[in-house]
Amino acid sequence: EAGVAQSPRYKIIEKRQSVAFWCNPISGHATLYWYQQILGQGPKLLIQFQNNGVVDDSQLPKDRFSAERLKGVDSTLKIQPAKLEDSAVYLCASSLAGQFSSPLHFGNGTRLTVT
Amino acid sequence: GQNIDQPTEMTATEGAIVQINCTYQTSGFNGLFWYQQHAGEAPTFLSYNVLDGLEEKGRFSSFLSRSKGYSYLLLKELQMKDSASYLCAVRGNAGKSTFGDGTTLTVKP
């Protein structure tokens, strides 16, 4: 099966600019996650979707971050405006819905550098 | 909320056995996962435990004690390619997965 696809692979922007990341999950995976991973730390959940509905966005900085999954498949994560502390790897993951034993399948991530 | 603790770093010798511990405090529990993450790569799934006891999968085994909020990952016959970060993650309510900060394992010849 094809894995989780993410783009771009790398992005360098200046602070106060905007950036968008794209994710295409594994076919049939209704649950999609966006995680932020800062160097030396574990992934931190930003937002979780089931189909096109938000399940959890409690840790999403909503003043600057937004995410959508309009048709319940692809998703985009946007940062506007970016801050220096947003420099991190943004990981998209997907899993089967309704199955707690279903592991997360991760994409290769987008490495964001904010200067 | 969720709180997950793992040692930051461990070092072991090729061919040896290493045990990586994870303790957790959660408001909901629907299983514990271990993932492996090589530098610059995405995490990949290693194991899942939801009931107490040991799950064995080749050179890797994982143990869970729900009453103690404790798990470990056991790696046998260590190989150089096992040098990586090992992430403990708890699946809580609504399927949310919370990760620890990972244990960086260095395998030396």
Side-chain angles (χ1 to χ4, degrees):
Chain A
E1 65 181 5
V4 175
Q6 285 189 249
S7 67
R9 191 79 173 87
Y10 303 93
K11 192 73 177 179
I12 301 173
I13 61 172
E14 295 182 352
K15 60 183 179 184
R16 292 186 290 274
Q17 287 187 323
S18 63
V19 65
F21 313 126
W22 172 83
C23 173
N24 182 253
I26 291 173
S27 177
H29 281 192
T31 307
L32 184 147
Y33 313 78
W34 283 102
Y35 282 88
Q36 179 194 59
Q37 187 172 27
I38 293 171
L39 189 64
Q41 298 182 17
K44 176 185 128 182
L45 181 68
L46 293 174
I47 189 166
Q48 178 182 336
F49 292 96
Q50 183 157 322
N51 296 310
N52 59 352
V54 176
V55 174
D56 188 320
D57 63 356
S58 57
Q59 297 190 84
L60 186 74
K62 298 180 185 66
D63 58 334
R64 298 184 302 107
F65 286 62
S66 65
E68 61 182 13
R69 194 184 184 199
L70 292 176
K71 296 182 179 179
V73 181
D74 293 9
S75 178
T76 56
L77 175 70
K78 296 179 182 177
I79 308 175
Q80 181 178 12
K83 292 185 175 181
L84 295 176
E85 59 259 36
D86 298 332
S87 293
V89 176
Y90 290 84
L91 294 165
C92 178
S94 69
S95 68
L96 293 170
Q99 296 185 26
F100 290 130
S101 62
S102 174
L104 271 59
H105 297 260
F106 287 87
N108 286 326
T110 297
R111 184 175 298 276
L112 175 67
T113 301
V114 182
T115 63
Chain B
Q2 319 264 49
N3 187 45
I4 299 171
D5 289 311
Q6 308 178 230
T8 303
E9 295 179 333
M10 298 184 73
T11 302
T13 304
E14 193 175 15
I17 300 173
V18 71
Q19 177 175 312
I20 302 174
N21 296 323
C22 170
T23 57
Y24 63 90
Q25 295 172 310
T26 63
S27 55
F29 183 83
N30 288 295
L32 186 144
F33 293 80
W34 285 95
Y35 292 84
Q36 180 189 60
Q37 186 175 27
H38 285 102
E41 299 182 12
T44 56
F45 168 70
L46 288 178
S47 68
Y48 172 72
N49 294 70
V50 67
L51 300 176
D52 290 353
L54 189 68
E55 294 283 342
E56 298 186 80
K57 192 186 293 186
R59 294 190 299 115
F60 293 6
S61 303
S62 56
F63 172 83
L64 176 68
S65 169
R66 288 171 297 171
S67 62
K68 295 182 179 178
Y70 168 70
S71 173
Y72 68 72
L73 180 69
L74 193 72
L75 291 75
K76 303 175 186 175
E77 302 169 14
L78 280 173
Q79 301 175 11
M80 299 299 290
K81 67 178 183 179
D82 297 329
S83 291
S85 178
Y86 291 86
L87 299 162
C88 173
V90 172
R91 183 155 264 165
N93 296 328
K96 175 180 176 179
S97 288
T98 301
F99 285 78
D101 282 337
T103 299
T104 299
L105 174 66
T106 302
V107 180
K108 295 188 173 179

